[in-house]
Amino acid sequence: MTLPSLRLKANADRRLRAGHLWVYSNEVDTAATPLSGFAAGDQAILEAAGGKALGIVALSPNNLICARLLSRDIKHVLDKSLLVHRINVALSLRERLFDQPCYRLIYGDSDLLPGLVVDRFGDILVVQLASAAMERNRDAVLEALVQVLKPRGVLWKNDSSARDAEGLERYVDTAFGVVPEWVPLEENGVKFEAPVLEGQKTGWFFDHRMNRARLAPYVKGKRVLDLFSYVGGWGVQAAAFGASEVMCVDASGFALDGVERNAALNGVGEKLTCVEGDVFAALRELKAADERFDVVIADPPAFIKRKKDLKNGEAAYRRLNETAMRMLNKDGILVSASCSMHLPEDDLQNILLGSARHLDRNIQLIERGGQGPDHPVHPAIPETRYIKSLICRILPNS
């Protein structure tokens, strides 16, 4: 494959040489290599200002991040051969970490496959293609996955907003074999079924696996409130870990059907109560009814999806966590989580401190958690670290 060149301005290669993988549009020497000469999904040889080759990039010429490094060796373009190699490298990590074949197999830039996410549910793979380059090479992606994993079914779950910026249509389609509506998985010794066709994202959130495992010592014999419960990742595990009672709150009746389904799988259905409705409205009703809990889990969807949402998003986290604290008994545990990339952990900690002080409570930060090791962080790209989970003890101010 003969590739065109993408030339950088003077000194614009420093960040890439230091380990970063992204090229911004204002770093390109557009006089020498106009971005208008590329289509989304094209590959090119990235060159420093002096002409030295830096590697192969995939182009998104209309975006601020206009190119992403695929390989630092110009012999290795994005094709089936490279995909097979990178998938095998990613698989070797996950197989070292987990006894069960249930995990995030490919995590985009961190696994040197930008624009590709693959979640594995045993012999079922759910794949998200978030870039024009991956979409253009989807046949090679599929062939590589089938060769390495030999799955029973592969699902394209390409309905995320990330595709909009690449000018890609959204769709959900079976790519290979047979994919059932619900697929089994096991997490922390607890059995689940995930709704891969109709559920959120890939159907499951493997990123909080380790944080959910840490619930065990806090919930045994306790009354637990699980907010934004989805299909019970937190709540059903709390029940399986010995909670006396768990109340799951979610706006989706479909998700709560999943809670009941997963509770039954583990024989804890009698411990679970489901409340359908807006979480903030449900919290007001529970407070009015003078309900109290020993443990409250607050793992909301991202309140801050873009930097411009920061102020309103921080207010939403403050409102949620302050209300959650009000629901706790005198010596209660709050598990406060965030998947907002734009909310640093220190800011979440400050929100919790401010909420506790506003309620005249003392707060002890007991444990900090992040995303599981199947979501490895690229140290040059802070955007690859997005999960925060803080376990706090909330005490009276006395």
Side-chain angles (χ1 to χ4, degrees):
M1 185 187 296
T2 302
L3 295 179
S5 296
L6 181 71
R7 182 71 60 91
L8 293 177
K9 294 177 180 177
N11 299 319
D13 59 329
R14 287 179 177 173
R15 200 167 38 77
L16 290 150
R17 291 184 186 280
H20 214 291
L21 304 178
W22 298 351
V23 177
Y24 292 93
S25 57
N26 61 1
E27 296 174 324
V28 175
D29 183 348
T30 52
T33 54
L35 284 169
S36 58
F38 297 95
D42 282 354
Q43 296 182 58
I45 297 173
L46 184 67
E47 296 178 349
K52 183 176 180 179
L54 300 173
I56 303 291
V57 290
L59 275 294
S60 299
N62 298 319
N63 293 347
L64 176 61
I65 301 171
C66 68
R68 295 177 190 251
L69 200 63
L70 296 167
S71 173
R72 294 184 185 271
D73 187 334
I74 61 171
K75 296 193 298 288
H76 296 150
V77 298
L78 179 62
D79 59 10
K80 181 186 172 184
S81 176
L82 182 66
L83 286 159
V84 167
H85 172 66
R86 294 273 162 82
I87 292 167
N88 273 313
V89 172
L91 178 63
S92 68
L93 172 65
R94 279 68 177 184
E95 288 185 332
R96 190 184 312 173
L97 294 169
F98 304 112
D99 294 332
Q100 298 291 328
C102 303
Y103 40 68
R104 174 144 295 180
L105 172 62
I106 303 292
Y107 179 47
D109 292 283
S110 292
D111 285 305
L112 301 180
L113 288 171
L116 180 62
V117 166
V118 181
D119 276 358
R120 185 181 187 187
F121 301 88
D123 57 4
I124 302 295
L125 304 177
V126 181
V127 183
Q128 293 180 314
L129 307 173
S131 73
M134 287 298 172
E135 181 68 33
R136 188 184 291 188
N137 287 275
R138 71 175 188 168
D139 289 346
V141 170
L142 180 59
E143 290 170 10
L145 287 169
V146 171
Q147 178 177 318
V148 176
L149 280 306
K150 298 176 175 56
R152 179 166 60 94
V154 179
L155 180 70
W156 297 132
K157 193 69 182 292
N158 292 329
D159 56 353
S160 77
S161 60
R163 291 175 62 88
D164 299 346
E166 296 278 308
L168 301 173
E169 292 183 2
R170 303 190 194 189
Y171 63 90
V172 176
D173 190 28
T174 299
F176 174 82
V178 177
V179 179
E181 291 185 21
W182 295 76
V183 299
L185 69 128
E186 184 175 314
E187 183 177 292
N188 302 323
V190 183
K191 296 177 181 178
F192 289 94
E193 289 183 342
V196 294
L197 289 175
E198 300 293 333
Q200 298 176 23
K201 302 293 180 71
T202 62
W204 187 255
F205 296 93
F206 284 119
D207 46 15
H208 269 300
R209 177 202 313 257
M210 302 305 193
N211 301 322
R212 289 191 280 255
R214 293 303 307 144
L215 280 176
Y218 301 103
V219 299
K220 191 172 184 180
K222 304 298 184 181
R223 189 177 192 223
V224 177
L225 176 62
D226 179 17
L227 304 173
F228 303 97
S229 66
Y230 187 44
V231 295
W234 293 92
V236 172
Q237 288 192 57
F241 294 159
S244 60
E245 179 185 346
V246 179
M247 182 179 293
C248 292
V249 184
D250 200 280
S252 167
F254 174 80
L256 293 174
D257 288 344
V259 170
E260 294 177 351
R261 182 186 191 113
N262 287 320
L265 275 177
N266 294 279
V268 294
E270 75 284 352
K271 294 183 178 183
L272 271 290
T273 302
C274 292
V275 176
E276 182 180 349
D278 174 80
V279 167
F280 289 100
L283 283 169
R284 286 194 297 271
E285 292 175 10
L286 288 169
K287 184 174 181 296
D290 204 29
E291 296 277 6
R292 291 292 182 272
F293 299 85
D294 303 302
V295 179
V296 176
I297 300 158
D299 179 23
F303 288 152
I304 308 170
K305 294 183 178 179
R306 297 161 297 182
K307 281 188 177 180
K308 69 178 186 178
D309 301 327
L310 190 61
K311 185 176 180 181
N312 289 338
E314 287 180 343
Y317 282 110
R318 171 83 179 250
R319 180 180 166 211
L320 172 64
N321 284 286
E322 188 169 312
T323 309
M325 288 179 188
R326 292 180 186 275
M327 303 306 304
L328 285 168
N329 286 320
K330 285 187 176 181
D331 185 354
I333 296 293
L334 172 64
V335 181
S336 179
S338 167
C339 62
S340 293
M341 177 187 69
H342 298 293
L343 182 72
E345 182 182 298
D346 286 349
D347 290 359
L348 178 60
Q349 178 178 316
N350 289 336
I351 286 169
L352 293 171
L353 175 60
S355 297
R357 294 313 308 140
H358 186 250
L359 297 176
D360 201 26
R361 308 278 178 88
N362 285 329
I363 181 171
Q364 293 176 323
L365 180 55
I366 305 172
E367 295 194 44
R368 301 172 182 268
Q371 60 220 51
D374 52 347
H375 293 67
V377 173
H378 193 296
I381 307 176
E383 291 86 351
T384 59
R385 178 177 182 262
Y386 66 103
I387 286 290
K388 284 79 61 177
S389 177
L390 302 180
I391 300 179
C392 306
R393 187 184 188 198
I394 309 300
L395 296 161
N397 189 27
S398 59

